Amino acid sequence: MMAGADTTRRLTALIRKETRQMLRDRSNLMVGLLLPIVLNLLFGYGLSFDVRNAPVAVVLEDRSQMAREVTSGLDGSPYIDAIHVDAMADAERLVREHEAVAIVRVPSDFSRRAGAGSAAVQVILNGSDTTTANALEGYIAGAIGTAMQHRADRAPGTGRGGATVIQRIWFNEASDSTWYLVPGLLVIVITLIGALLTSLLIAREWERGTLESLFVTPVRPHEILIAKLLPYLVIGAIDIVTCLAAARFLFHVPIRGSLIVIFLAAMLYLAVSLLLGLFISGKVRNQFEASQISLLASFMPATMLSGFVFDLRNLPWPVWIVSQLVPATHFMPLLKTLFLGGNNWTMLARDSLILIAYGAVLGIATTRTLAKRLD
Amino acid sequence: MPAFRLFWRQISALIRKELMALIKDPSARVLLLAPPIMQTMLFGYAATFDIADVPYAVVDLDRSAASGELLARLDGSGLFQREATLASPSQIAPLVDRGDVLLAITIPPDFAAKLEAGQPAPLQVILDGRNSTTAGMAGAYLASIVNGFNRDNAGSGATGGVEIVRRAWFSPNLESRWNILTGMVAGLAMIQVLMVAALSVSREREQGTFDQLLVTPLTPAQILIGKAVPSILVGLMQSTLVMAINTLWFHLPFNGSLVLFYFGMLSFMTSAVGIGLAISAIALNMQQAMLYTFFVVMPLMLLSGLITPVSNMPEFLQIATYANPLRFAMDLVRRVILEGAGLSDVAWDFVPQLGVMVVTLPLAAWLFRHRLS
Amino acid sequence: MTSPSATVIVEGLTRLFDGPDGKPFRALDAVDLTVRAGTLTALVGPDGAGKTTLMRCLTGLLRPDEGSVRVLGHDALREPQAIQDRISYMPQRFGLYEDLTVQENLDLYADLHGVPQDVRRDRIGRMLDLTDMARFTARPAGKLSGGMKQKLGLACTLVRSPDLLLLDEPSVGVDPISRRDLWAILADLIAHDNLSVIVSTAYMDEAERCDDVFVLNGGRVLAQGTPAELTRQAQGLTYTATPPPGTPARFLQARLIDAPERIIDAVPRGGDVWFVRQPEAPEAELGALLGDAAWHPRSEALEDAFMLLLRQDQRTPHPAPVEAEALAPTGNSGQTDDAPEIRVRDLVRRFGDFTAVASTSFDVRRGEIFGLLGPNGAGKTTTFRMLCGLLPATSGTLEVAGHNLRTGRARARSAIGYVAQKFALYENLTVRENLEFFAGAYGLGFLETRRRVRAVMAQFELEPGLLARTLPLGYKQRLAMAAGLIHSPPILFLDEPTSGIDPLARRAFWRSITSLARAGVTVIVTTHFMEEAEYCDRIAIQDAGRMLIVGTPREVRDAAGGGGDIDMNQAFIAIVEQARAAEAQGQAAA
């Protein structure tokens, strides 16, 4: 039992030391506590894939009643801000000057060809912003389709009916991109804490020579590791709670799964990202390189390769393999499901096991980087 | 002019030293070259909303010729991949939950009959909204196929079918990865430029060489320039790498002027370095420099239009982006590369960047001198 | 229980490292060493002798390539943790947590070593008293001066009584008073706690206090024995020479040390020169070398024997004397010879309420070697940084090479060369790249740069292609000197340039400094090696921000009282303690 008491005493001393060092540097708290709040606000209010009031130039070369009806849907759309111009040249100029992002052109032969059943509306999109262009294409088609539907409804029985799509979006009925960006933000914030705050911890001690003195004490390598982990777990826990509160009360994202389960799963992922940061720090032993590598190895992939905004389904296999190596990839879908879908126990079990495996491997590997050797 | 020659001699020695410190170690060289290459390749493939082969499930309760034709159109479109053919709508939920399918279509038993009767024939479609952007994309694909189906099956004289002829300028196939690829030209480089600039002074502080530098006759302004130029070069090099991969590997067009592109990048990198040096003057050690850098990088990236368009943001944030040089660098890159814009088209993109430079560089110089005493 | 007779048994220990050229070299080469329990053992030897590597092998931090290391009965390869549980180790660069306070650093190590609360209060209190740091317990370690940090590191190491204490150059950068106190602590620990101590040191007076001394060179044990046994080797070879009146002792010293075929060693000492002759050189031959100086035999010291052993070993590098002409300033600073090169009047520097430097005035003449001495935290570094223009003065006048530092800082800077305390160089650049950078920073042209870089590299025997990081400490110091002299400055500032440097390298260093001074370079130097003050024309002793005395070494020794027999170390301690006593009395009276 003596050994246990020794361990506890050493751990307490080390944890006190790490906590003090963490609290004494304002930059730690800025990134640890303030940055998550800033990100919450930016993600919640700033980031959206939902196009609103996109300026669209409308050119009616056919001034018939029918042509006006076709484009009337554009005027009512919340997504589109129709700008009526007289000539195609004006519309093209607007697009070139980025005053409009698309052109809807009803050609002069529109009503004539409509009689023959081959009417066409031309839509020109500025492809240099593909995200907006892609979304806008759907909105324009929808607006024109709806207008045509109304017209058809007023003159029924003139032919065969059409198939209509009655669409229901599960998990996100309003199709609001904030709903999936905000849970994703939690993943990003946790990854950030791990990548930034811990990646310098061991490298700094190597560079400043403090490890040599620390090594030749009764301290065990895993005690150093645990002491470096704990204070940041606390910071991370505060951030998780902050994010959950913001999601619930500020952005009104539904939290359909159990809060406890979400919190525990997030803590598990937090431990994995902290360990990844520590591992890089211990392996590289150089602050400059550790900071860059951790950013490249954890944060950027968590944003781009985890399924945060971009679907992983159609990745070429080499890229897919890389994406599967990223811990965030195994947490992102779980968290989105827990938020929007509810408790999914099979998914929870599978992803938790993967994360635990990551944590174990990284924990052992990091402890090895702290083996008391200088050679 | 001997004074100028002396000035230049001192600065060039400093620039040479900074560059050597950056590229001397093999691991440091790898860190400057590998990240932009790897990230461009990986994210170029990953960062796309275009989904080929949307996995879907179908419950065909009608089993008519009409429903068969609709499904054949789906399967033959090259856009959809049928994962499951189910007997009952109740089997849909687990498939969607597990993420096996993104979309599920239920064709009601009276589908063909309603079509025949000239009535609207509804299709029940369920989409996985855990990523509503992807779901929206898949929904749009489906709508366009159903549209085609309607047009071809509507009798002559029908008014419902208006063909929408879509043309996209600058990006004929509207490939959504172009958005990220062009954004990374400025965005990826910015991260490392900021970091190199921000850490350059604090690294010398920690290694104790800063005093040695300060006792030389180099003035603070000279030291600033000497630290700025290598960072800018790093940024230009990385932008070039990303640009090269874009055109050679992903076959993006390059429609504009190379000179204008580099002029724009130079202006952007200078303003980014201004931010980095201001951070370096504030930070007492490397840890602070790095953390402050990230505190700044994150908002800069998010408010730049790299992932989501600036025009989707609320008004007050759109105004805030005027302080973000990355936003205008991205705008400039996309316009020059894709639209072939000339100087007069993008002149306004330089103004906010100049504004950032005018504020940050003198601020860095002032902080620098201030911190010395 | 371990064997009471031997605490450390090292047999055939060999340790390889990759050399700068990529080839492995033997940092330790078949070393045998036994340390008896309860004794004080010294490791001495030049840089690169393998002292630190040996220490690290003892702690289990480095694996031996061949041979065995047993410490306290445990094999260092198989059970390093068992050793680490029972020893205390102070590395050369003790890693203090700079953002923690003095007290927090001490508490951390006390906790890690499991020192019980009641013992601890006592112990830490004693350590704080001893290191004179009780006032600073709440100060972050990063804000302490270099010497104070060293003392705090020592205090952290000594928070408990281990079975074995390993100290790697514990007194580097520590002032004589603290050094005396440190050794008092060690003596006390050995007497009361029966612990064994292994200490590596560059101070021969410290080695002299030990029971056993191991002289290492090039990875091998060159000699071992008690200090008395080792000292005896120099018997009959040691002399004192007195230069004729009016000739500085260092001129004679330079002449002697430049004749290595006849002279082993020569150092200025109390206005005289102490020297050791080569055993093969008969006494009769010395007359020609000594000229009109009077000389007579003196009793030998450990340092004499140490120099003898090293000079006789084939592996010792023989640094060539430095040609002053090549390093001399190309032009003088525009001052007339009589005007002081550096003029300091009523210099004051305050940090908040704390007065680091109080109303200080002195002049330094052209070609003079001026020594700035003082205990750790006395304000030397602050004074120094103000002189170099790194820190603005709160009030007072500072003129360097005729430029007022308030108005002409840039011009003053181009007239000075500066060697920082830790030889701050760009570690991942080569020797040549470092020098070329500094040449450029001082605005030297292309051809001038090439010429100067070649000249200083030749003078300091530097290999152009080696990375600064891979240089041994002595060569780092040479590189720092070379960088400081690259623009031929008329004034050279040296902040503890010999800190951590072995006696051999120190001789070479001072040889180049004295040549520079003869060529007209003004040198201001700080040091904690009091015998080095003997090289100076004049020295100043500072304590608590006040200038206690300025004068020639002889004047300082005389002021300290005690006749002509005391050495500089004793004189320094006496002057500082007299001043402190007077201060305390003054305060008591008020």
Side-chain angles (χ1 to χ4, degrees), chain A residues 67-133:
Chain A
R68 267 198 297 276
E69 271 180 37
V70 166
T71 56
S72 64
L74 299 174
D75 293 314
S77 166
Y79 310 116
I80 293 163
D81 197 355
I83 306 169
H84 292 272
V85 292
D86 291 330
M88 193 58 190
D90 293 335
E92 288 181 359
R93 186 181 48 78
L94 285 178
V95 172
R96 271 187 225 290
E97 289 172 4
H98 284 208
E99 299 290 327
V101 290
I103 304 172
V104 175
R105 177 193 190 194
V106 183
S108 53
D109 59 357
F110 178 76
S111 18
R112 189 166 49 79
R113 288 180 57 180
S118 61
V121 172
Q122 191 183 17
V123 174
I124 294 171
L125 300 155
N126 183 346
S128 76
D129 179 356
T130 48
T131 311
T132 304

Side-chain angles (χ1 to χ4, degrees), chain A residues 72 85 157 172 192 217 347:
Chain A
S72 64
V85 292
N172 190 348
L192 206 72
T217 65
M347 200 169 178

Side-chain angles (χ1 to χ4, degrees), chain A residues 25 48 98 119 121 123 125 127-128 131 160 163-164 166 168 170 180 204 287 289 291-292 309 313-314 337, chain B residues 27 52 99 121 123 125 127 129-131 133 150 153 163 165 167 169 179 192 206 287 290 312 335 339:
Chain A
D25 199 324
S48 171
H98 284 208
V121 172
V123 174
L125 300 155
S128 76
T131 311
R160 301 170 65 191
T164 55
I166 301 187
R168 269 180 56 211
W170 279 6
Y180 77 87
R204 189 176 49 184
Q287 294 188 77
E289 289 176 10
S291 61
Q292 303 208 28
V309 284
R313 270 179 252 261
N314 289 296
T337 304
Chain B
S27 61
L123 294 165
V125 173
L127 287 159
R130 278 174 289 191
N131 183 331
T133 312
N150 283 345
N153 286 288
E163 190 190 355
V165 183
R167 230 175 73 207
W169 284 356
N179 202 50
Q192 272 185 313
E206 257 184 46
Q287 184 190 352
M290 175 190 156
N312 293 358
R335 283 185 170 201
E339 299 180 19

Side-chain angles (χ1 to χ4, degrees), chain A residues 43-273:
Chain A
F43 269 74
Y45 291 120
L47 293 198
S48 171
F49 286 105
D50 309 324
V51 174
R52 296 172 309 115
N53 301 330
V56 172
V58 178
V59 190
L60 285 180
E61 291 175 349
D62 178 355
R63 300 195 170 258
S64 68
Q65 171 68 21
M66 185 183 173
R68 267 198 297 276
E69 271 180 37
V70 166
T71 56
S72 64
L74 299 174
D75 293 314
S77 166
Y79 310 116
I80 293 163
D81 197 355
I83 306 169
H84 292 272
V85 292
D86 291 330
M88 193 58 190
D90 293 335
E92 288 181 359
R93 186 181 48 78
L94 285 178
V95 172
R96 271 187 225 290
E97 289 172 4
H98 284 208
E99 299 290 327
V101 290
I103 304 172
V104 175
R105 177 193 190 194
V106 183
S108 53
D109 59 357
F110 178 76
S111 18
R112 189 166 49 79
R113 288 180 57 180
S118 61
V121 172
Q122 191 183 17
V123 174
I124 294 171
L125 300 155
N126 183 346
S128 76
D129 179 356
T130 48
T131 311
T132 304
N134 267 319
L136 207 54
E137 187 186 4
Y139 294 137
I140 292 174
I144 292 175
T146 313
M148 293 318 293
Q149 196 67 49
H150 283 311
R151 201 181 145 80
D153 288 349
R154 283 200 301 277
T158 46
R160 301 170 65 191
T164 55
V165 175
I166 301 187
Q167 186 170 290
R168 269 180 56 211
I169 302 185
W170 279 6
F171 310 121
N172 190 348
E173 288 73 9
S175 188
D176 184 345
S177 60
T178 308
W179 281 25
Y180 77 87
L181 288 176
V182 166
L185 165 67
L186 183 53
V187 183
I188 300 295
V189 163
I190 297 174
T191 312
L192 206 72
I193 304 288
L196 302 187
L197 295 184
T198 53
S199 65
L200 295 184
L201 283 182
I202 302 176
R204 189 176 49 184
E205 294 220 24
W206 276 113
E207 271 187 17
R208 296 188 182 168
T210 46
L211 275 185
E212 190 175 350
S213 326
L214 200 60
F215 278 169
V216 188
T217 65
V219 156
R220 307 297 193 264
H222 66 266
E223 294 167 359
I224 302 179
L225 178 70
I226 293 171
K228 289 197 180 294
L229 213 51
L230 276 179
Y232 294 93
L233 276 175
V234 174
I235 293 277
I238 296 173
D239 291 331
I240 293 171
V241 172
T242 310
C243 287
L244 288 175
R248 179 80 192 79
F249 299 112
L250 221 48
F251 308 123
H252 308 292
V253 175
I255 302 179
R256 292 174 179 140
S258 144
L259 262 183
I260 302 280
V261 172
I262 292 179
F263 181 77
L264 290 178
M267 288 301 285
L268 176 61
Y269 177 65
L270 173 65
V272 172
S273 12

Side-chain angles (χ1 to χ4, degrees), chain C residues 89-138:
Chain C
Y89 167 56
M90 180 184 177
Q92 206 167 37
R93 186 175 146 218
F94 189 90
L96 293 166
Y97 292 100
E98 306 217 329
D99 32 14
L100 298 186
T101 64
V102 168
Q103 184 72 48
E104 286 163 354
N105 269 291
L106 285 165
D107 285 341
L108 173 67
Y109 279 92
D111 281 327
L112 294 180
H113 283 296
V115 181
Q117 283 297 337
D118 46 333
V119 180
R120 175 187 310 192
R121 201 169 313 116
D122 224 47
R123 187 88 181 199
I124 290 182
R126 200 166 127 218
M127 287 298 146
L128 288 171
D129 277 351
L130 225 50
T131 49
D132 193 25
M133 287 208 299
R135 292 167 289 158
F136 302 124
T137 48

